[in-house]
Amino acid sequence: MLQVGLNHFLFVSAILFSLGLFAVITRKNAILVLMGVELILNAANINFVAFAKYGTGGLHGQVVSLFVIVLAAAEAAIALAIVLNIYKLFTNVNVDEIDNLKE
Amino acid sequence: MSLFDIFFYLFALLTVISAFFVVSVKNVVHSGFYLLFTLFGVAGLYVLLGADFVAVTQVMVYIGGILILLLFGVMLTNKITNVEIKSGATNVLPAIVVIGTFAGALVSIITRTNWSESPSPAPQTTIGALGKLLITDYVLIFELLAILLLVALIGATSIARKKNENASEV
Amino acid sequence: MDINSLIVSLNLIKPEIVITILLFLVIAFDLFYKDNAVIPYITLIGLLVSLVFAITGLPFKENAFSLTNSQYGLLAIDPISSFFKIIVLLASIFVVLFTIISDEVENLKIRKGEFYTLISGMVLGMLFLTSATDFVMIYVAMELLSLPSYVLSGFMRLRDRSGEASLKYVIYGSVSSGIMLFGISLLFGITGSTNLFAINAYLTNQSINYLTLGLSIIMIFVGIGFKISAVPFHFWTPDVYEGSPITITSFLSVASKAAGFIFLIRFIFTGFTNGVAQSGFWNILPVFDWQTLLIIIAVSTMTLGNFSALWQDNLKRMLAFSSIAHAGYMLLGIAVLSNQGILAVMVYFFVYLFMNLGAFLIVMIFADKIQSENIDDFRGVGLTSPFLGFALAVFLISLTGLPPTAGFISKLYLFFALVDANLIYVAVIALLNTVVSLYYYVRVLKHLYLSKPTEATPVIKMSYSVNLLITIMLIPVLLFGIYFTPLLDFAKMCMSFLIN
Amino acid sequence: MEGFPILTLITFLPVLGMIFILLIPKESKFQIKLTSLVMVALQLVLAGIMMSQFNYNAGGVFEQSSFQFVEKVKWIEIPGVSWLGTVKIDYFLGVDGISMPMVLLTAFVSLIALISSWKIDKSVKGYFALFLLLDTGMMGVFVSLDFFLFYVFWELMLLPMYFLIGIWGGPRKEYAAIKFFIYTLFGSVFMLLVMIGLYFSTTETLTNGSKVFTFNLLAMMDKTNFTADGILSPFNPHNLRFIAYIALFVGFAIKIPMFPFHTWLPDAHVEAPTPISVILAGVLLKMGTYGLLRISYPIFPEITRELMWYIALFGAINIVYGALCAMAQKDFKKLIAYSSVSHMGYVLLGMASLTSVGINGAIFQMFNHGTITAMLFLIVGVVYDRAHTRGIEDFGGLASKLPVYTGFVTVAFFAAIGLPGMSGFISEAFVFVGAFSVPAIRILTVVSTLGIVLGAGYMLWTLQRIFFGKFNEKWSELTDLDTREYVMLIPLTIIIIFLGVYPSAMLNIMNTSVNVLAKFVNETSFLLN
Amino acid sequence: MSESLIVTLSLIILFLPLTGFTLTILLGKKVPKIYYTELLFISLAMILSVVIAFFKLGTYADKTIISSFNWINMGFISQGLNKYIELGIQIDNLTVIMLVMVNIISMLVHFYSIEYMHGDKKYTRYFAYLGIFTFSMLGIVLTHNILMMYIFWELVGLSSYLLIGFWYEKPSAADASKKAFLVNRVGDVGMFLGILMLFMTYGTFTFDDIYHQISMGVIPFNSGFWLTVTGILLFMGAVGKSAQFPLHVWLPDAMEGPTPVSALIHAATMVAAGVYLLIRIFVMLTADAMLVIAVIGAFTSFLAATIALTQNDIKKVLAYSTVSQLGYMVMAIGVGAYAFAFFHLITHAFFKACLFLGSGSVIHAMHHEQDIQNMGGLRKKLPFTYFTFLIASLTISGIPLTAGFLSKDGLLAGTLAFGSLTGHWLIPAAGFGVALLTAFYMFRLVILTFHGKPRDEDRFEHAHESPKLMVIPLVVLAVLSLFFWYTPNPLGADQGWFLSKWVVTPQTVTPEFTRWNFMQLEHAPKAGEHVIHSNMYMEAIHHAHYPAMILSLIMAGLGIFTAFLFYQWKKVNTDKLAAAIKPLYLFSFNKWYIDEFYNGVIVKALLVLTRVFAWFDTKVVDGIVNGVATLVRWVSIGGKYFDTYVVDGFVNFTAFISGLFGIILRKAQTGKVQTYIVFVVFSIIILLILL
């Protein structure tokens, strides 16, 4: 059981994913929400790399994770820009308070 | 329990615990720092998985880029004088219920699954192979990413720049 | 992958290359050329050229950028992808034209270059998405599509609603894509590949864990559902549609959705189908119950879309819900899991392109003039501006699906497929939904015509070119309602990839 | 006349007029009205020509060769592939004895309604354009022999009707218009489903011998054309024909309007402007029953027979219930509207008998109700134009002030009561004779005769309250009929009385076809047990 | 004169009044004198009908001339044969006699009306209505099939409606016309159902065909019971039109119409149409049906006679008398006295028309005063009127030398025979009782109106004999009420031409087991022989003849005597008598009572509850009609609410639910993106569970 295998990595990634999701859902600050997103992406990445090692996928998994890291950066940049814009408009970045658009 | 296992548990604990703090501490800046440890732990896991190049990229891009970006974001969205860079929580109860269920399902499914495993270990160094893959099989995506980054750059500047445009905008 | 096959592959993606060049041209013009008024026209030309290539590319039926030791690659250039490319490009062309007309974006003179750069980026992402057969490609293309759209939805950056829309969009979008990515990683773990063909081969031959596969598919579906705004992944849609500039809203409602749909079709057909029966029905691998999932999603999507639209006072928001409902109808076409169903989706999309964009265009013109999107402010506009009113009426009737408009034909083919597949009860639900939808579409007509125009009701006169544009959009809606042979022939031809 | 596309002409003439109208500037109101008038009048002339050329001995109903003025050209043809059969839709028009009276009725009532529209002053251009479009839709429904075409025309009417009620209607016009629209659309979506189901169950043999799915109504009536496994094919042991029949029936029943789907009618009538009420009651309601005869009966004969008791039951309910509701009304127009419900019940009852006499009576009643109710609504319009109220209690003793008007009212009312010598009597008598001769629905027929008394009750009571008794001085300014109103009412009166005295003029047209239909429904054994 | 000429002339007679009507109604406004054409046409029709009658009765007395054509093709009935509805006329002796009768009275009324209606603003329209009425009535007379009879049946209903409501400004007139039409409709529905039964069984409407088939043994549902039902259903038409209990209530009210109209329609012709119908269908009536008819007829005549006793409105008395006499005729049909029923129909037409026109003359003279209590002594002022009125009264009372004596006597003999043969003695008892009452109330009327001292001096002073145009018809009618037109023997009509040659009782065609046994023939009729009834019946009639004559004479005499005793010689104080038998009196005097009842004084109504008849008449009979109307109104109001709240409500409820659904959905759209994501994750779980 303690012998580390694929499942252990997947277990870590699952927890990371859940925590990321938790952050996205619960944190008010938009930047913390973004951090949650990063956690989710990292969880996925762990999976890819783990499967690359233990599974039949080979290096392709690592390639994917590389791409994901780059995409995460781009996404973070755009998201941050938007958050800054929000800050300019609303003088706060609390996601739950920005709900003018609704029924 | 081999050294590999010990390191795994080390990095795993580091990752999970700091991630837990990321989502739970009030202070946004503290969260950022905990995120640093999480990312670092993940990088460690990469190394354990034989993905040295990915680990390096993780450290450079994530820690060196994204995290800094996020911290800048924290600074910029709070007045400097504002000491309380804190963030409350919302939706906690539904989140615990929903995500608890979800995580349970995830974990149980993952552990029960018979993954397609192959005994062959990964090659010792991956940089060469990776590089080859990037410019052969994935060359299109590679180029596409370049364009994506360019577009993202333009997009980000477009939305975040200070300069005021035409006043007629509503 | 050697250089020869690379050149062959590049030859196959001419439309995408044209868009890439366009992207750089726009950036260059923006940087070095003072008068950025030409940029829209450059974009138009680029899109048109790309459209021409897309049309000439219709006969292609090949894999491009194949992986080493594999006949399959990142892209599959086939007629159906060309069809959706044409849809995307047509939509883009129209949206660019709208933007030229629109006061909203036109006022932001200085940022015109950025706008068109981002549009071009989106188009590029969509084009790649139409033919992507590898999850890596899919994911990257989707991000390429999403990132500019986040920015564009917040392009009116000094407007609260626009900013809010972009924030919601970006959070929702990145979470969705994160979940999807996690799903992809699980699928990768199960099958050891990100390529759809390889996944198919693996699923055909190996036994797999049903639950894990289901989980990964559902998680991937979150990403797709986000793009096509299918219930329950639609929540962003009304808020973002309402907040975004109307041109972007219309673009998202058609082009972005089209990209999502072709991805879904490919995912199911390439990944989970083992050939097509003579009757046109797909031999779905028994690893996952696609039909149930899709029917549940489709039915809830259209029902929710329609019922939510009932009480909307904001026209844009109403059209947002209406587009959700239409996504539901189209999902039904896929849920049939047969060639007939896909044909119906294609016909539907082609018609939807015109009628939905048309409706958005008129609403945009009205909203520009009235300075409101609230339905109550539209009282009697149909009477003071007869042509625009008439056009909106036709588009809305077509959206309802009444003959003799093309909207009827598209629904007709959908029901053909459903009845052919014996999904009668689904057809009944869909039809009842149509009745519900009538109510809110007609509600617009009611305000347009049945209410007396007040003093404040403007008389809107547009230039001939705008009227021409409207007419161009009206013609297919009316013509295909009466004589739909060409439309069907075209769609059927594009279906040929599924036959072999 | 061979080869002359008279049906196309009669159907699309109004559209042509609409195009002309759209080209006329909206200030030229008179020209617009004149154009419409000419078009609709031409339509009536064409209908007259058709009648003069009509072969009374050709049956029609299920065989193309005995339809008349047939036009059949390819409309849509999409060659098939392995998984998708050839899609072929014909532009297929034709009339037989069942549709010919309806064509006449449509042309005639349209003209009357157009004359009645002469006083419309608000958005003249839009009104007449929509009116003509509506006309085309109505005519198209009656001459189409292809289900697809039928459906297109059927839906084509909805929108003009919606606007005509909604823009030119009364105070609650919006409510009434949307109610009408939703109700009818609700019905027609079921029809659409049945249409598609039938399409996938019926094949037609092309000249080259290949079999393709078809929308051809006549092909659907031939048992040999059904596929082995179509969901609406009688050969399929799990077929859904029964459900399909119900669905189709609901679609038509809403239009009729049959209890309990009738509540849109009073609202629509009350709010609609007079000419539109005339069209609505005169022509639109007939589409429901026409559809039953044209589509439900010959395509689903076995279920028709199975359900005939229920059809008769609803007919009887309509008759009695409509009459009772009419009696309680205080609004003149609403009363007439409910009387329509009652009168359409006779049509249902007659149809349910499945006998030649009953169906003859039903079709004749459709025609007669068209003319009589048109007249009744015109009458309401006349008094409403002058007094701007329709409350029955508001009037009294008008007979002495408006003698000629009262005369016409009396004629119309007695026609509605079914007084011999007027057309309504013949059709009602036929309906009763037909229905009574069928043992299964005899009791219902006896119950329905209650309608005779009740009908007389509310009509005469109304007559008394409005026209008899002490003259209400409030209305001393009212004037008697003007020329335009004479022009509308006199032709109607003449037709009503002429057909009452010489009903064969109409009955002979339909007789052969009805015989064929009745025989077809009774003898075609679709039930394969 | 050939048969075809007779047919042609009959058609001309039929359409002359219609032409008059059309011309008058269309041109009435432009040419006020147009009504002369109507007068001209009706006179022409009268002359022609006399001519026809002369030739028909003289030359073709034994022949029935039928001429018909196919009117409507009804489509297949069976075996793929097209069925046609025929229209046609049937000219037999009854027809021509009726033609003459209708035309004569119609013409007289036309002329009478010239003066009577003088000055009315709807003068021309009045004549037009008379024209359409005459046309319709002639249609009933001439038809050879039951459907056509129904058609004209309804048309006379229409004319009656128009004429009763002629003075529609009077709410009472408008009410009465409506009531008449509706009550008639009720009867007509029964008749219509009967027609449906006939058509269903025989596939034809033509009398001869139907009777032929019945004689072949074809009967509805192969059951004698249903043949009876058919007969009774058809009889319902007669109940309505001939104002039989329980549908008699419209006729007294119908007196709101102009008096000449009452004479023509509500006394002489239209109301007799019911009897005419019974005569036409006589041969298919079963024993049971006949018994029902007889009982209803007898009861009606008694009921009406008792009411007539106390009425003070001259027209009301006559109206109830009409009801009573119609009951006689119906009763006569019921007991099988076919010939006498018809005979009485004809004689009644003349004398009742005479009475009505006479009353019209009185009313005219008295300036529209109708209450006999305000009259008296008019004999001197109105000699001609008095004289003719007296003759007619004698006729109705059944005094020898009048035609009424002949017909009534025969009729009563029939009932007596019937009673003796079947044991239903109540029927003759009612018949003779009514004879007594009739004589009494008629002479009460005569005495109160013409004899004694004037009670309203003022009006009396101004009263004067009516103009010639009004008096001459009276005289003509009075003369026509005398015996010599029908038979040379003033004491028995049996041997007269009317009964022996013209009116011949036809042989019933009903299956034997449904007949009275006394109607069973002993032998088959030979050609040309009029075998009416069995010997048993003939004997019974024969035996009944003299007792009936004597008894009826006694009754009539007693009645007249009593009337004189009461009113002329005032030997009995009528007031005291009325007080003495107050319950019975009030009973009869119910008119008052209705008004009070409707004014809400139900308590008073309860006080006289014991008076069964009045109660029965006003509350049950009339009350049923009114009550049914009320009930119907309640039901219809209920229907309206049902419609508004339930049916419509259901639809609106559906809409409401849809709306609610929409609102719930809106709740989910919170605007908070994080909530959205919760939903997303939640749905993933749900989908996972579902799959």
Side-chain angles (χ1 to χ4, degrees), chain B residues 54-68:
Chain B
V54 178
V56 172
T57 319
Q58 167 90 356
V59 172
M60 286 175 63
V61 176
Y62 255 116
I63 300 172
I66 298 174
L67 193 60
I68 303 298

Side-chain angles (χ1 to χ4, degrees), chain E residues 530-602:
Chain E
H530 299 305
V531 180
I532 310 165
H533 291 303
S534 65
N535 291 337
M536 186 165 53
Y537 186 71
M538 294 310 286
E539 244 166 68
I541 287 272
H542 188 72
H543 288 310
H545 189 178
Y546 286 104
M549 186 161 79
I550 293 160
L551 203 55
S552 75
L553 264 176
I554 292 170
M555 288 298 174
L558 201 61
I560 296 170
F561 176 73
T562 324
F564 271 89
L565 208 61
F566 280 19
Y567 300 103
Q568 178 76 13
W569 306 316
K570 301 199 192 301
K571 294 294 180 203
V572 178
N573 188 330
T574 48
D575 294 339
K576 272 193 184 154
L577 184 67
I581 51 162
K582 196 176 178 191
L584 279 174
Y585 179 77
L586 274 185
F587 219 15
S588 171
F589 198 65
N590 60 60
K591 223 32 190 171
W592 250 69
Y593 181 30
I594 298 173
D595 291 340
E596 293 208 340
F597 172 69
Y598 281 112
N599 289 328
V601 194
I602 300 171

Side-chain angles (χ1 to χ4, degrees), chain B residues 36-164:
Chain B
L36 173 80
F37 294 111
T38 308
L39 297 174
F40 200 77
V42 172
L45 289 176
Y46 290 161
V47 172
L48 284 181
L49 287 167
D52 45 358
F53 185 69
V54 178
V56 172
T57 319
Q58 167 90 356
V59 172
M60 286 175 63
V61 176
Y62 255 116
I63 300 172
I66 298 174
L67 193 60
I68 303 298
L69 209 58
L70 288 174
L71 286 175
F72 266 119
V74 176
M75 307 299 175
L76 287 172
T77 56
N78 289 284
K79 296 196 175 66
I80 299 298
T81 50
N82 188 356
V83 189
E84 293 282 313
I85 312 178
K86 283 186 179 167
S87 170
T90 174
N91 290 331
V92 178
L93 196 65
I96 289 171
V97 172
V98 168
I99 292 177
T101 321
F102 183 70
L106 201 59
V107 169
S108 76
I109 285 172
I110 284 171
T111 48
R112 278 189 221 160
T113 309
N114 190 18
W115 300 102
S116 72
E117 297 188 47
S118 81
S120 64
Q124 285 304 304
T125 174
T126 57
I127 300 176
L130 272 180
K132 205 173 164 200
L133 265 183
L134 281 181
I135 59 158
T136 55
D137 283 7
Y138 293 108
V139 63
L140 180 67
I141 299 177
F142 193 73
E143 297 299 331
L144 207 56
L145 272 179
I147 296 171
L148 187 145
L149 284 173
L150 176 67
V151 170
L153 185 75
I154 292 173
T157 51
S158 158
I159 208 154
R161 68 174 168 187
K162 257 217 143 73
K163 195 170 140 198
N164 239 342

Side-chain angles (χ1 to χ4, degrees), chain D residues 262 338 452 464 501 504 511, chain E residues 71 73 168 175 185 636 643:
Chain D
H262 64 282
Y338 271 110
I452 299 180
Q464 184 190 355
V501 177
S504 296
N511 218 320
Chain E
W71 182 37
N73 178 351
Y168 50 74
D175 273 336
R185 268 261 153 157
S636 63
D643 201 48

